[in-house]
Amino acid sequence: MTNIYFPDEEISRNDIFFVCYMIERVARRLHQRNRYVVNQIGRKSLEHLVSVANVLHAENPLAVEKDWIETYQLSEGTFHVDRVDPELVTKIPGPLQMGKVYERLIHDTKKPGESEVDGIIRVYNHEICDVIDNYNCSAYYEPSYVIARAYYEGGF
């Protein structure tokens, strides 16, 4: 995919990583699932965000969160990633770690001719995300090729 503002510039994996990281941050702040954030933002706005990611990553993440919440009219939910069994989970993965997990999954499952934005929408709307975001299991911790295989097979 090329940058919508600078057609000579390709979207990088770091741009996708940043957007995935921010999706995770916003979803956690609002107690929503990641797919809610992705679907509320929508394809056209995701194209914009991916295209300006190389600039936004220099901004304060809290300010970017606030801007996304206001701009895309995102609302509070009831999903809490931190509600885990303390017997099973001693440390919840952070937004950076989960942003990387999702960036890799988008890259590893990219279809021929598919844009990165289409990959973001496809992956975040797949049922495998419910398993990856359940920190009582170790799905998020698996190597990226295992997560990609689980994506294709419909489960771990």
Side-chain angles (χ1 to χ4, degrees), residues 95-115:
L96 276 172
Q97 183 178 0
M98 293 310 297
K100 196 54 145 170
V101 167
Y102 279 107
E103 180 275 322
R104 288 180 184 140
L105 183 57
I106 291 161
H107 177 79
D108 292 347
T109 61
K110 189 171 187 226
K111 297 176 180 182
E114 180 181 56
S115 75

Side-chain angles (χ1 to χ4, degrees), residues 7-131:
D8 294 337
E9 185 179 308
E10 288 291 320
I11 298 300
S12 73
R13 286 184 74 162
N14 276 341
D15 297 334
I16 302 306
F17 166 55
F18 174 77
V19 170
C20 292
Y21 161 66
M22 288 309 304
I23 290 167
E24 187 74 31
R25 284 186 65 111
V26 169
R28 287 179 185 212
R29 182 171 175 181
L30 294 175
H31 307 293
Q32 291 280 7
R33 292 201 175 268
N34 294 327
R35 78 173 58 90
Y36 166 80
V37 174
V38 168
N39 293 332
Q40 283 296 114
I41 291 173
R43 175 175 275 103
K44 189 149 184 74
S45 294
L46 282 169
E47 288 172 352
H48 162 74
L49 293 172
V50 167
S51 292
V52 298
N54 61 349
V55 175
L56 285 180
H57 82 270
E59 298 290 328
N60 180 330
L62 292 172
V64 176
E65 273 180 29
K66 185 175 185 263
D67 182 55
W68 285 23
I69 291 167
E70 291 172 2
T71 301
Y72 305 111
Q73 300 174 354
L74 305 174
S75 59
E76 287 280 333
T78 59
F79 178 72
H80 296 266
V81 296
D82 58 348
R83 290 191 180 152
V84 295
D85 183 344
E87 299 270 330
L88 300 173
V89 182
T90 56
K91 186 174 186 231
I92 295 170
L96 276 172
Q97 183 178 0
M98 293 310 297
K100 196 54 145 170
V101 167
Y102 279 107
E103 180 275 322
R104 288 180 184 140
L105 183 57
I106 291 161
H107 177 79
D108 292 347
T109 61
K110 189 171 187 226
K111 297 176 180 182
E114 180 181 56
S115 75
E116 283 78 356
V117 168
D118 289 336
I120 290 170
I121 293 167
R122 175 182 47 77
V123 164
Y124 280 109
N125 281 288
H126 194 278
E127 61 193 19
I128 198 79
C129 295
D130 292 339
V131 178

